Amino acid sequence: MPLVQGGPPEWIWERTPDPLKWSIIPSEREKETVYELRVDCGMGIMRLQFFTEEEIRRLRAAIGERLPLSPLPSPPVAY
């Protein structure tokens, strides 16, 4: 996968069509629980670290606000 410069400070990688795998990993940092968001996208793992619980809740809410609750449409069937 080529690394594409999308303009500072943005970096864009083209990923494979493999399904995404998400993990949220808790850890202790300075007597506080923080979280690491891991995204395995078929070309390695992106790790975003040191989220607070509140930040993870806001991320979950933001994703929920933008996605419909109904199932994704089925692909068209060829006859």
Side-chain angles (χ1 to χ4, degrees), residues 4-20:
V4 179
Q5 173 69 45
E10 183 178 334
W11 291 94
I12 301 169
W13 285 267
E14 294 177 9
R15 71 178 186 94
T16 65
D18 299 317
L20 292 176

Side-chain angles (χ1 to χ4, degrees), residues 71-77:
L72 295 174
S74 300
V77 177

Side-chain angles (χ1 to χ4, degrees), residues 24-36:
I24 297 177
I25 313 298
S27 63
E28 292 297 317
R29 181 177 185 223
E30 299 176 9
K31 300 180 183 176
E32 177 185 16
T33 301
V34 292
Y35 299 86
E36 176 181 326

